[in-house]
Amino acid sequence: MVECDVLVIGAGPSGCVSAAIVHKSGLKVRVVEKEQFPRFVIGESLLPRCMEALEEADFLEVLKAKGFQEKFGAKFVRGESICDFNFTDQHANGYTWTWQVPRAEFDSTLAQAIQERGIPVDFQTSVTAIDFADDYSLIRTLDRDGREESIKARFIIDSSGYGRVIPKLFHLDRRSDQPQRVTFFSHLTDTQRLDFSEPNRITIVSIREGVWVWMIPFADGRTSVGFVGYPEYFSEYQGTPGEILRQLIESDDYVRRRFGEQTFVMEPRKLEGWSVTTDKFYGKGFVLTGNVTEFLDPMFSSGVTLAVVSGARAAHLAVKSLQGLPVDWEEEYMKPTMRGVDVFRTFVKAWYDGTLPTIFFGTRLEHRFKQQICSVLAGYVWDETNPFVVKREKALTQLAEYIRLQAAAEA
Ligand SMILES: Cc1cc2nc3c(=O)[nH]c(=O)nc-3n(C[C@H](O)[C@H](O)[C@H](O)COP(=O)(O)OP(=O)(O)OC[C@H]3O[C@@H](n4cnc5c(N)ncnc54)[C@H](O)[C@@H]3O)c2cc1C
């Protein structure tokens, strides 16, 4: 039987960051990954805050060597109105840039880096059952040839993303408070990129309240394009995901001008029902990280940042616990993790209920407020000096109301 101190389930960004940090402590860590890498996963636009966790896990050098598209801000477009955020001009004193990445390549880079440090990664191997005992757990796995194996681990970090291994095995899943949304997306050629201003910047196009498009350019000339909205919006479109995505591209002037003539370089896909959560992100002998905790919505690109920040935090606490030191998982893990998720929850709600579009596309957004909002968009959602973190609901509502009144007075 294979034995280790910490078993990490899943070699996505969260799992790789966790594994790297546990390894640095000298403990024996192993990763089990269901797929063969490179594999596709959605989530291609990162936030500057994630660079801190990637740096802590010593991943920045290998990632820089890949030449991924650098991301210095984000642009929001509605009709003729443009709201452009630059991460150099923000409230927080943190990273001012990050990357836009095809995840297959990004995740493979991280997984290869941990293997090169001597961390075993069992690819094409799924966790199928777990028996928790007092001081260790027995984890049963199944590889693609049907071989079963048992692993004995003192602690489990479940970073299985949409696989949700522990919540599913132990019936911990709970419905999220987010309404169900749908996306149609693909990667396209982008040969006219240079005809557009800021051709490499991520652009979010607001089509109408509750419906929007992401355009995420990659360094190799491809761009990821996805329409997101409520299910009824898409019911008027018929056909395969590719046929529907083509009709959606044609339906909007801004998107059609750039992508109307472009070719799909990945089979277009439909995704829905991604919002799910659990009551507790920890238990005796295990912790949940990344998407297994809670994933809200693709708006604001928070997923990978929350995944790597929670992965790093969980790894430090697991090490502390295995060193025999007391850990208050509620105070040290659950609450800080939820604080970050909840800031994004407020912003996601404010986007869909029209509060944020009012702020973004109103006539005058005061510079100081723009800097504070920019820091949230950069992922600095734990910054207690930012009113759009601490008093976010009030700050957003009052600012939107002020902008509405100002517009009415000027009309
Ligand atoms: C439409 C959409 C758009 C998004 N856009 C963005 C974006 O622009 N930016 C962003 O940051 N986030 C985005 N996200 C979120 C992003 O996809 C996730 O938050 C991110 O991938 C989470 O990383 P992770 O490491 O937690 O999990 P994952 O990246 O999902 O990795 C989990 C790994 O666990 C493995 N696994 C699963 N089950 C098992 C098992 N039984 N045994 C072993 N291994 C297993 C999987 O194969 C996988 O490799 C988006 C999400 C959606 C739905």
Side-chain angles (χ1 to χ4, degrees), residues 7-11 30-36 121-130 138-151 156 158 160 162-166 168-169:
L7 182 77
V8 178
I9 311 174
R30 185 174 199 96
V31 181
V32 174
E33 165 55 53
K34 191 168 98 182
E35 305 285 339
Q36 182 60 52
V121 181
D122 303 323
F123 287 103
Q124 293 183 296
T125 303
S126 290
V127 170
T128 54
I130 301 173
L138 279 183
I139 300 103
R140 263 172 291 157
T141 63
L142 184 68
D143 74 12
R144 69 169 191 153
D145 300 320
R147 271 193 304 264
E148 290 193 329
E149 180 85 64
S150 287
I151 301 174
I156 302 174
D158 183 0
S160 59
Y162 301 99
R164 309 189 62 73
V165 171
I166 289 183
K168 278 187 182 158
L169 285 175

Side-chain angles (χ1 to χ4, degrees), residues 238-253:
Q238 303 297 325
T240 62
E243 288 161 349
I244 292 177
L245 186 54
R246 191 54 81 188
Q247 294 165 53
L248 289 165
I249 290 171
E250 288 299 318
S251 72
D252 180 76
D253 210 40

Side-chain angles (χ1 to χ4, degrees), residues 10 13-14 33-34 39 42-43 45 103 127 160 162 165 291 298 303-304:
S14 194
E33 165 55 53
K34 191 168 98 182
R39 56 91 178 88
I42 194 70
S45 165
R103 283 286 302 281
V127 170
S160 59
Y162 301 99
V165 171
N291 254 43
V304 172

Side-chain angles (χ1 to χ4, degrees), residues 9 59-60 70 86 110 139 174 183 193 201 216 247-248 254 261 266 272 275 328 336 340 343 350 354 367 375 395-396:
I9 311 174
F59 286 140
L60 288 190
E70 288 169 334
N86 287 304
L110 301 185
I139 300 103
R174 191 162 53 80
T183 179
R193 189 185 283 196
R201 177 157 291 198
I216 305 173
Q247 294 165 53
L248 289 165
Y254 191 94
E261 304 289 309
M266 183 186 90
E272 58 194 325
S275 304
D328 184 340
V343 176
H367 186 226
S375 279
L396 287 170

